[in-house]
Amino acid sequence: MPKPAVLFYSPSSPPYASQLLQLCAVSGLKLRILETADLDRTVSALAQGLRPAEPLPAGDPLPEPVMILCQLGQGQLDRLLSGLRRQHITCLKAVLTPTNASWSLRALYDELCQERLRLS
């Protein structure tokens, strides 16, 4: 089973990058920074840290940051979300599930945007 990790994608360097890194470190979580070239890879492959045999061509970047929480226990999840609120770190968030594990990061982003519209 993969270790608890936070996957983070941002189209540009966010102003809160150092706070996010520190928050993950004190929570004992590995922070994996994703790149535009990762957007068409499956969330499962990204969570496992797998690299493609050949680099995928980078498509268009996403317009906003996305965070995927992988294998966190309830306590870790609560502490991380509380820390994100305290630090005013805002981005779309998802938890890795059996359903979304086979989706590309781009497809997960699209689903998160649809959910946001349904909730607003």
Side-chain angles (χ1 to χ4, degrees):
M1 175 184 276
K3 293 186 185 222
V6 174
L7 308 181
F8 183 73
Y9 168 82
S10 182
S12 60
S13 182
Y16 50 78
S18 62
Q19 291 111 311
L20 180 58
L21 182 61
Q22 182 180 13
L23 182 58
C24 287
V26 299
S27 300
L29 301 170
K30 180 175 177 77
L31 177 64
R32 288 193 187 118
I33 302 297
L34 305 177
E35 301 172 358
T36 301
D38 294 319
L39 294 177
D40 294 307
R41 298 184 53 223
T42 67
V43 175
S44 176
L46 295 169
Q48 294 175 52
L50 301 176
R51 291 314 222 175
E54 295 183 24
L56 298 173
D60 292 333
L62 300 179
E64 61 188 311
V66 179
M67 181 180 295
I68 305 168
L69 311 173
C70 307
Q71 308 297 328
L72 275 67
Q74 190 62 51
Q76 289 174 310
L77 181 61
D78 291 344
R79 284 189 300 277
L80 180 65
L81 292 176
S82 175
L84 292 171
R85 280 191 296 277
R86 236 183 359 265
Q87 297 286 337
H88 304 288
I89 296 174
T90 58
C91 62
L92 288 174
K93 297 170 201 69
V95 173
L96 176 66
T97 67
T99 300
N100 66 25
S102 63
W103 300 353
S104 69
L105 180 54
R106 194 179 302 278
L108 177 60
Y109 171 77
D110 291 341
E111 180 63 26
L112 291 170
C113 289
Q114 289 175 23
E115 281 185 25
R116 179 171 49 193
L117 283 175
R118 286 191 297 267
L119 295 172
S120 61

